[in-house]
Amino acid sequence: MDKSAGLSSCFELFRRIARRLGVPARHAEDVAQDALLRGLEADQRIALSENPAAYRIVIAANRARDHVRRARRRGEVLTSFDQSEIGAELPTPEELLRGRQRHARRRCLLERVDPKSRHLLIRHDLEEIPLAQIAAELGLTTEAVKTQQRRALERLEEEKRRWIRPA
């Protein structure tokens, strides 16, 4: 995954965590940025062998809680300028259901392609691992992996057409 894209998605996740823990929108970005910085510093200090993402989420949640506690001690009122902000960030029940259905359809389609193609699609398209890195791991040229990925996408599209219009 591209490092800047990964940091951007972490930042957005941390911002949402801060909002859910009561940090007003006007301060959520600052809290998220602080959590991201502390997470990167922690990566430098300690070796996270099992699940660094979980550790970073704990950091973000703790930073948000600390912000809320400090604001309450100062006597600040922690409400948004616009109460509709909170509702706008949370998905509706219909959106949650549609998302679950899309996820189930994707999973079902992926199960219909051969394991080699499925593995490549998951690694590159879902986990966002560059084709060059996958090629190095498999001991193949990047062009060979690009060809395999194109064929895997064609197989997935073929399965999608079969699913939409069963024979």
Side-chain angles (χ1 to χ4, degrees), residues 55-116:
Y55 185 74
R56 291 183 194 120
I57 288 171
V58 169
I59 289 173
N62 287 341
R63 298 307 304 155
R65 287 184 192 107
D66 288 347
H67 177 84
V68 171
R69 279 189 210 115
R70 282 192 308 273
R72 284 189 181 139
R73 279 189 216 124
R74 290 189 304 261
E76 289 182 25
V77 178
L78 292 177
T79 58
S80 296
F81 291 125
D82 182 7
Q83 288 297 325
S84 66
E85 289 176 348
I86 295 172
E89 287 189 13
L90 299 174
T92 65
E94 293 84 14
E95 290 170 336
L96 286 172
L97 180 60
R98 274 189 241 118
R100 287 185 190 128
Q101 289 171 339
R102 270 193 308 274
H103 178 75
R105 283 192 304 265
R106 280 189 204 120
R107 181 61 61 194
C108 203
L109 281 174
L110 278 172
E111 292 298 323
R112 291 174 167 227
V113 297
D114 62 283
K116 183 178 175 183

